[in-house]
Amino acid sequence: PSLEMPALYQRVNVEGTANILEASRVHGIRKLVMASSSSVYGVNSKVPFSEADPIFRPISPYAASKLASEALGHVYHHTHGMDITMLRFFTVYGPRQRPDLAIHKFARLIDSDKPIPVFGDGSTARDYTFVDDIVDGVVAATERQLGYEVFNLGESQTVTLSRLIELLEASLGKQAIIDRQPLQPGDVPITYADVSKAKRLLDYKPTTQIEEGIPKFVDWFRGRNG
């Protein structure tokens, strides 16, 4: 979507971040924890992705907007002494996930016996992170004074798109109808979080692997949809 509406993503993510930072400065808010994204790494040939990796080659307007937001956070830490923590989320899923994101969208289409759009041959891989683990990381970040820091929050394991579909099929008890499509511009082939820094400074310990997380999501999905 950010390729279709690049200016909107800049207004919401970059200008929106600037507004929040400035309002915090004016009103004396000393600490902010903000959501960044694993997309800032772009096509990173080194895996797993580390916070120390260079991040100057984003491949979508969304990724560029998140990179700019991180930079603005550093500016406000440097110039105003604010405590700013940027959390790079890696493909968050679980109960209450947005309906336009892949796992929720796939579950809805599979359950309705409709085709699911699969971009590429299914070999692209993501570090899917269960929402409970993400929340633990966010809460830990609010409880610590860190200056300016950036953290990866991921499960630190990769799952191919084909494997994800298999897990959804097993949990839903239905076979997916595959609508094979070309790879999308702006999509990266893999995301994979090095969470050693988060473990060290936030005591972050993700526990929910995809084989457990998908059934939990499907339980919520089925309950929500009767």
Side-chain angles (χ1 to χ4, degrees):
S2 73
L3 293 170
E4 298 171 359
M5 299 176 289
L8 174 63
Y9 276 74
Q10 298 305 304
R11 287 197 300 273
V12 172
N13 287 343
V14 183
E15 186 177 347
T17 297
N19 288 340
I20 289 170
L21 287 163
E22 181 61 9
S24 298
R25 182 193 68 79
V26 168
H27 292 282
I29 303 300
R30 302 304 302 164
K31 181 172 183 64
L32 279 172
V33 177
M34 305 188 73
S36 186
S37 168
S38 62
S39 67
V40 300
Y41 289 105
V43 181
N44 193 354
S45 58
K46 173 186 162 294
V47 292
F49 300 169
S50 165
E51 295 91 345
D53 293 344
I55 51 167
F56 301 113
R57 294 181 178 177
I59 61 169
S60 70
Y62 170 75
S65 73
K66 286 295 188 180
L67 188 56
S69 297
E70 289 188 7
L72 282 167
H74 185 269
V75 168
Y76 273 74
H77 163 70
H78 178 76
T79 58
H80 304 297
M82 293 168 62
D83 193 279
I84 309 286
T85 304
M86 294 288 181
L87 302 177
R88 292 175 181 167
F89 295 162
F90 280 70
T91 316
V92 187
Y93 74 100
R96 300 179 183 84
Q97 186 190 36
R98 273 171 37 201
D100 57 309
L101 297 181
I103 290 175
H104 195 155
K105 180 180 178 180
F106 283 5
R108 185 174 67 252
L109 292 172
I110 293 170
D111 201 48
S112 303
D113 299 310
K114 295 179 180 178
I116 62 172
V118 175
F119 299 96
D121 61 3
S123 64
T124 56
R126 295 286 180 271
D127 192 339
Y128 294 99
T129 314
F130 195 67
V131 63
D132 290 10
D133 291 329
I134 288 288
V135 169
D136 286 346
V138 173
V139 172
T142 69
E143 296 171 340
R144 290 159 171 80
Q145 295 296 312
L146 297 162
Y148 176 84
E149 290 289 353
V150 177
F151 293 100
N152 291 336
L153 292 188
E155 215 62 39
S156 204
Q157 62 172 343
T158 59
V159 179
T160 65
L161 181 54
S162 294
R163 174 63 175 152
L164 173 68
I165 293 168
E166 289 173 1
L167 291 168
L168 281 167
E169 288 175 327
S171 292
L172 290 163
K174 288 192 172 186
Q175 192 78 20
I177 304 167
I178 304 297
D179 175 17
R180 193 77 62 184
Q181 297 189 20
L183 285 170
Q184 295 186 107
D187 265 359
V188 297
I190 187 171
T191 64
Y192 184 8
D194 177 347
V195 296
S196 57
K197 181 180 177 182
K199 285 182 177 180
R200 186 174 73 254
L201 297 180
L202 299 179
D203 196 28
Y204 174 69
K205 297 173 182 175
T207 59
T208 306
Q209 297 191 347
I210 194 83
E211 291 81 6
E212 179 188 355
I214 290 297
K216 286 184 176 181
F217 168 78
V218 170
D219 285 347
W220 169 82
F221 174 80
R222 282 272 165 84
R224 179 175 177 270
N225 293 283

